[in-house]
Structures are given as C-alpha cells and as structure tokens.
Amino acid sequence: MKLSVNIDHIATIREQRKEGSPSPIFGALLAEKAGANGITAHLREDRRHTNDEDIYLLKKMVKRLNLEMALTKEIKKIALDVVPAQVTLVPEKRQELTTECGLAVFGNEELYKESIEEFHKKGIEVSLFIEPEKNEIDAAKKINADIIEFHTGTYANAFLKDDKKAIKIEITKLNEMITYANQKGLRVHIGHGLDLNNIVPFMGNNLIEEASIGHSIIADTIYEGIETAVNKMRKKIL
Ligand code: PXP
C-alpha cells in the first residue's frame, strides 16, 4: 500500500503566527525523503491552512501532488492551472474542523461529470472521496472517476471509542466495498483518522492502492520528527 502524507497541519501551525514557519513545503520534502509516495494538501475555500502559494510550490517541488479540494469555481480554476498529478474532490463546510463525510456522488453525477472530463483533458487523475456504499461506487464509476477514496472516519471513531461491535461492522463494510470497487475497475484509496494502530486490519490488503494520512503522522512528528513518523507508517503498510 502506498502512503500519501497530508501536510495541512504543518500549515495549520504556521498560520498560528503567520511568520512562515514551520514550512509545509520543507515538511513535504522531508516526508518524501522518508518514503512518502505522495503529498496531499487541501486548499480550503477559507485558506485556513494551506494557501495558493503553497500549492504552486508543492507542485514544483514534490514528486506527486494530490490536491484535495471542494469543487468550487475558484478552486477548480486554480487546480486546472496548477495541474497536480491528482485531485481528490471532497465536500467542504466552513465550520467543520476537518472533512466530515464523503461526497454525495449518487444523484449528483451531472455535477461532477463535466469537471472530471476537464481534469482528464489536463492529464489530472480524479479521486472522489466517498462513503463505502455501493451506490456511491457505481456513481463514481459511471462518471469516469479514476480513483475512489473511502472515508474511514466512521471506522476511526469506532476505534477511538473502543466500540468492538462497530469496529467489526466498519471493517467488514470497508473490505466488502474495497473488493466491489476493485472489481468495477476503480483504484481504491482509504483515508481519514488512520493511525499506526487502526491501520492494522488493512495491512497486506493489496486491493488498496494508497492510504492518505495526515493528523496522526503530524502529531507523531511533534514527538519524534517527520522522517521517523513517516518511516514508521511506511514500514507498517508496506
Ligand atoms: N483524506 C481526505 C479526503 C481528507 O479530507 C483527509 C483530512 O484532510 C485525510 C484523508 C487525512 O485525514 P487525517 O488527517 O485524519 O489523517
């Protein structure tokens, strides 16, 4: 399983002082050096962490940039100008602390279809962040998404509460939907709330192409440095 490291939280700390440090770009380069296969950054409408300049610099400096974004006119224009290797479309709410759920692709296919075509014309791969549900997978396939990223937040919350019954239900659901999506020819990523402990049930599942992880790695970075934190996860999900 590949690892894309989300560096938004480095920018979150920078924004506390707005004095340029710590640098999400430097963090991204160190994460790559430690074995990250890709770097993810979310350009939010309110620019609460990563900003436009970061995205342009990341595109220049990292090997594979995944730009997480809501499909708004403004952010889409930037994405088409930056041309990252991949965009991941997510729902976005102003008040949320972090992305709270997957996109409602089912029933809104027309909303995404045309933009996916525009991204494809520029050679940008498109990932849709969705709940592990059959109708969402079918809808993503119908509109030619390349990748789907399953929202693992519900699973991670069950893990936090040590709710064994819910953990089992969520793992079963995720595994079934990973297989289903794979059979449909979609590449599968997972992300949200994943850490060194709750990733364990997915280790060795070669149907998962990539895990997208931010918070836990940047939290571990405070204690042990970004290279060690990235390297530990990299070795775990080999
Ligand atoms: N994937 C997506 C689509 C996300 O929105 C986020 C959060 O920014 C992540 C992965 C990473 O989640 P976390 O920071 O909890 O590891």
Side-chain angles (χ1 to χ4, degrees), residues 6 8-9 42 68 88 90 98-99 129 149 191-194 212-216:
N6 182 314
D8 291 340
H9 290 323
H42 185 171
E68 219 180 280
T88 298
V90 299
T98 179
T99 315
F129 184 58
E149 179 180 334
H192 206 91
L194 295 173
S212 174
I213 306 179
H215 186 86
S216 71

Side-chain angles (χ1 to χ4, degrees), residues 200-213:
V200 172
F202 302 101
M203 279 160 45
N205 184 340
N206 56 19
L207 299 183
I208 307 171
E209 182 182 66
E210 184 176 281
S212 174
I213 306 179

